[in-house]
Amino acid sequence: MATALDPALGGGALMAAVASVVSIGQPAWSVRIARVVLLLAALAVLAWLLVLPLLAIFAEAFRQGYAFYLDAIKQPDTIAAVRLTFTVAAIAVPLNLVFGLAAAWSMTHFEFRGKALLGALIDLPFSISPVVAGMMLILVYGKDGWLGSWLEAHGLQVIFALPGLVLATVLVTLPFVARELIPLMQAQGSEQEEAALTLGASGWQIFFRVTLPRVRWALLYGVLLCNARAMGEFGAVYVVSGHLRGITNTLPLQVDQLYQENFSAAFAAASLLALLTLVTLGIKRVVEWRHGDALNTHL
Amino acid sequence: MKRQWTVLAALLSLSAAYVHAQDVKLLNVSFDPTREYFQDVDAAFKADWAKQTGQNVTVTTSNGGSGKQARAVLDGLQADVVTLALAYDIDVLADKGLLAKDWQTQLPDSSSPYTSTVVFLVRKGNPKKIHDWPDLIRSDVQVITPNPKTSGGARWNFLAAWGWAVRQPGGNADKARAYVTALYKNVPVLDTGSRGATNTFVQRGIGDVLIAWESEALMTQKEFGKDNYQIVVPSATIVAEPPVAEVDTVAAKHGTKKVAQAYLQFLYGPEGQELAAKHFFRPRLASIAAKYAAQFPAVKTFTIGEQFGDWRKVQATYFADGGVFDGITEGSQ
């Protein structure tokens, strides 16, 4: 057992670590040192790269006082940006929820030609730079784009308006729900659905009573990730926004605009954005903590 | 089928549904250093228009690098008016048929209601003793100016430097090229817009001298203290003439021609001119210019027309791909 190992043994830390994994007893002190050193290193990196800069955002935001902070985030343009960010997320996330479910379902329950291609396509937005995603939209929907003249003739404005922002956001957040569901559904297999089918359940019954309950926590997890990304998206919406204050500036774009004009107000808006993300992160933690087993059970 | 499209159109232009019949909207697509100026102008014009017509006008102004903004209008940003850094960016729109080719003759003063000039901004006490253009190519001096390929303001900066060099005794194009080549070797960061360059110099503390529009330099002094930043006026510099124009086709489609024209006229009127002066642009109107004469230093200037000809030619010679600017930066990389 680990307790029996001679702590003075040189180079024994790794062996001891392996031993401590399989043992339940007290690990040797060299193992504890290794553990503490690794932990401190990880914490230091996190603190340096993440926590300190995050705190700096809030410190800068409040530098000119609480009243200034409130004034800054109560600016009509900033409030409009928050509202627009929620609006875009409220349209884009449900769309990707439906898409993600449909894609994951078909990927894991059916065999068809081009399945690998579909999987690769779902992953594409992960690897395409958001700037390129935005430019793709301009090339299709912009004034000189493929659909440009048709849209203009029908009085439809896509680029530099809400539809463009939604399209850009849907595009970059496309994989989140599907990628969360596919491994889980794959591991679960389709025996339960097949059983329901033989018992005479209809398609919708199977979906709502069998499939959905089994993936609901993974689904929620995917939706939260999707939402965090949707609200924080910058590159793609930057290209298609047109930067009209109070109209097509989402919160990340508003932060960028303020950064050019009013330093402290920019950080106030940035802190608001960080806060939104932290809330999402908090909800995600709660889901993991309370339902982590449901997320992993079938894996 | 047709009806479905109508419904779709209604949904897509959702925001328009909120607009009261009496209300009118105007979109002004502008460049970088006019942010604060147009915030004031938009509010003042709103009040003025309501008094004149009883109509409620909401002006939205979008800011960014001049070339990038022109690009957005080309891509379909619905600008009723454009107020950009230089005529060429509006020429590009005219080439695509968005407005008449002779747009620059449609308003007084070559369609530039206000001007500025190119000056140097240095740190407290002018520690590097920068007094004129030759100081900028000293090896111990770091110069901040944005990228002329993307920033309209930066093109005026480039032309100011070039023009000064050519106008020196014995000056010619070769000497000017050698001078600006040395100058851009001293630039550690080429920002994409003039406001970005100001932030680099002021907020991030990079560089010894910022080549800036006078308006931007005076605004920095106002915001961060006259003691902390000093303006140095070079021995000769260019008059920057940022133009304005109505985008005929868009305004016609929106039914905003009247209000768009009134908006541009407002920039030339006493109220618009006074706001320009307050935001450190040099007004054209003599009475306002006299009133604010004290805030603008005396400068010896040349215009683009005097030194270079028109903007199309300047663009093709200096800033187009493979032009003079590409040539001088290739060597340094």
Side-chain angles (χ1 to χ4, degrees):
Chain A
M1 287 283 105
T3 42
L5 277 171
D6 181 3
L9 265 175
L14 185 66
M15 260 173 59
V18 173
S20 80
V21 169
V22 292
S23 79
I24 313 166
Q26 280 293 309
W29 64 267
S30 63
V31 178
R32 284 195 235 167
I33 289 178
R35 199 188 275 167
V36 168
V37 167
L38 285 176
L39 192 67
L40 282 181
L43 280 179
V45 168
L46 276 181
W48 192 251
L49 288 179
L50 208 66
V51 180
L52 278 181
L54 194 62
L55 288 179
I57 291 267
F58 284 91
E60 188 67 42
F62 282 101
R63 203 168 62 167
Q64 296 193 35
Y66 186 64
F68 178 89
Y69 181 83
L70 270 190
D71 275 354
I73 59 173
K74 277 192 332 207
Q75 270 183 20
D77 289 347
T78 301
I79 290 178
V82 172
R83 197 180 299 137
L84 180 63
T85 300
F86 280 125
T87 308
V88 170
I91 302 171
V93 175
L95 282 178
N96 273 336
L97 187 155
V98 172
F99 168 81
L101 262 174
W105 171 272
S106 45
M107 291 274 295
T108 53
H109 288 74
F110 302 113
E111 285 304 324
F112 53 92
R113 279 156 72 95
K115 191 165 153 177
L117 183 68
L118 179 63
L121 282 178
I122 291 174
D123 283 341
L124 204 56
F126 270 149
S127 45
I128 286 188
S129 163
V131 172
V132 178
M135 284 178 167
M136 288 168 13
L137 292 178
I138 295 237
L139 285 181
V140 177
Y141 301 98
K143 193 169 179 303
D144 294 330
W146 297 345
L147 302 177
S149 48
W150 185 88
L151 288 168
E152 201 173 357
H154 290 76
L156 304 176
Q157 179 83 17
V158 174
I159 301 297
F160 309 124
L162 181 64
L165 295 171
V166 171
L167 276 177
T169 307
V170 168
L171 188 57
V172 295
T173 60
L174 193 77
F176 285 90
V177 174
R179 274 294 151 212
E180 201 58 44
L181 291 181
I182 288 170
L184 179 63
M185 284 182 156
Q186 223 151 31
Q188 285 177 343
S190 46
E191 291 89 353
Q192 293 202 17
E193 277 90 353
E194 280 160 13
L197 194 65
T198 56
L199 292 173
S202 74
W204 286 115
Q205 276 176 322
I206 295 176
F207 176 72
F208 281 110
R209 299 220 178 152
V210 181
T211 308
L212 200 55
R214 291 211 297 165
V215 299
R216 62 184 173 201
W217 296 116
L219 183 65
L220 183 60
Y221 193 80
V223 163
L224 285 172
L225 283 179
C226 181
N227 183 58
R229 181 62 203 272
M231 293 201 300
E233 171 52 27
F234 182 78
V237 293
Y238 182 88
V239 178
V240 300
S241 149
H243 311 278
L244 312 180
R245 296 156 200 281
I247 301 176
T248 63
N249 264 0
T250 61
L251 192 50
L253 298 178
Q254 178 72 5
V255 170
D256 176 62
Q257 179 132 30
L258 286 172
Y259 186 62
Q260 314 263 319
E261 293 162 12
N262 184 338
F263 225 50
S264 296
F267 286 103
S271 75
L272 208 59
L273 186 58
L275 216 57
L276 285 181
T277 321
L278 287 178
V279 167
T280 309
L281 196 72
I283 300 175
K284 180 174 148 277
R285 283 302 304 166
V286 170
V287 170
E288 274 175 347
W289 173 54
R290 296 186 57 167
H291 304 283
D293 50 337
L295 280 169
N296 299 316
T297 305
H298 304 279
L299 288 176
Chain B
M1 198 61 185
K2 193 145 197 174
R3 200 174 140 173
Q4 278 180 341
W5 288 122
T6 322
V7 172
L8 187 64
L11 280 174
L12 286 176
S13 53
L14 203 66
S15 52
Y18 294 110
V19 179
H20 192 261
Q22 272 289 14
D23 290 357
V24 58
K25 282 183 169 182
L26 202 66
L27 175 57
N28 170 14
V29 170
S30 192
F31 66 119
D32 239 357
T34 58
R35 292 167 192 267
E36 294 77 11
Y37 168 55
F38 277 116
Q39 275 177 15
D40 282 1
V41 165
D42 293 351
F45 176 71
K46 187 186 176 79
D48 187 68
W49 187 250
K51 211 166 63 192
Q52 279 185 30
T53 64
Q55 204 175 32
N56 180 26
V57 59
T58 307
V59 188
T60 306
T61 297
S62 157
N63 301 94
S66 188
K68 194 185 91 185
Q69 293 290 79
R71 181 76 241 170
V73 175
L74 280 184
D75 283 334
L77 186 58
Q78 298 287 300
D80 301 284
V81 300
V82 284
T83 54
L84 296 175
L86 45 91
Y88 179 75
D89 286 332
I90 303 183
D91 285 337
V92 169
L93 306 181
D95 288 345
K96 289 273 179 170
L98 284 165
L99 66 164
K101 291 229 176 192
D102 65 344
W103 62 271
Q104 208 166 1
T105 62
Q106 288 174 6
L107 287 164
D109 300 315
S110 304
S111 292
S112 293
Y114 39 78
T115 66
S116 192
T117 183
V118 174
V119 298
F120 306 154
L121 192 69
V122 296
R123 302 190 187 281
K124 187 178 189 171
N126 195 0
K128 292 278 171 95
K129 307 265 175 290
I130 292 160
H131 300 294
D132 201 0
W133 291 104
D135 296 318
L136 302 194
I137 60 170
R138 272 168 25 205
S139 59
D140 64 324
V141 172
Q142 280 199 328
V143 182
I144 303 296
T145 180
N147 188 346
K149 298 287 276 189
T150 53
S151 160
R155 283 181 217 176
W156 291 104
N157 295 355
F158 176 98
L159 294 177
W162 186 282
W164 170 83
V166 169
R167 292 166 87 90
Q168 293 315 292
N172 57 37
D174 285 339
K175 284 185 178 167
R177 187 193 303 265
Y179 171 74
V180 294
T181 305
L183 174 63
Y184 279 90
K185 278 216 170 77
N186 279 352
V187 180
V189 191
L190 272 180
D191 283 287
T192 54
S194 50
R195 186 54 61 86
T198 307
N199 281 342
T200 296
F201 184 72
V202 174
Q203 308 277 12
R204 294 182 202 94
I206 299 175
D208 303 304
V209 52
L210 173 74
I211 308 180
W213 281 26
E214 180 186 56
S215 57
E216 194 83 352
L218 286 166
M219 199 186 74
T220 305
Q221 270 196 332
K222 182 183 157 203
E223 206 170 318
F224 296 96
K226 267 197 154 134
D227 307 332
N228 293 326
Y229 295 96
Q230 272 171 250
I231 289 176
V232 173
V233 179
S235 59
T237 186
I238 201 164
V239 186
E241 298 166 281
V244 302
E246 175 202 342
V247 185
D248 303 324
T249 51
V250 176
K253 194 171 83 187
H254 291 174
T256 49
K257 282 189 91 71
K258 241 177 84 182
V259 63
Q261 276 159 16
Y263 182 74
L264 295 181
Q265 287 297 338
F266 184 81
L267 302 178
Y268 285 90
E271 211 176 337
Q273 290 282 293
E274 178 128 28
L275 285 175
K278 275 190 178 149
H279 289 280
F280 308 115
F281 289 103
R282 294 188 178 220
R284 296 276 194 184
L285 203 63
S287 58
I288 307 290
K291 187 173 162 190
Y292 285 87
Q295 80 179 18
F296 298 112
V299 286
K300 226 176 99 194
T301 55
F302 50 89
T303 66
I304 185 167
E306 287 161 15
Q307 187 63 47
F308 298 95
D310 74 350
W311 258 110
R312 279 179 195 275
K313 204 177 119 213
V314 167
Q315 178 70 23
T317 311
Y318 297 93
F319 306 118
D321 287 335
V324 171
F325 182 75
D326 281 349
I328 65 165
T329 44
E330 262 162 30
S332 68
Q333 271 155 18

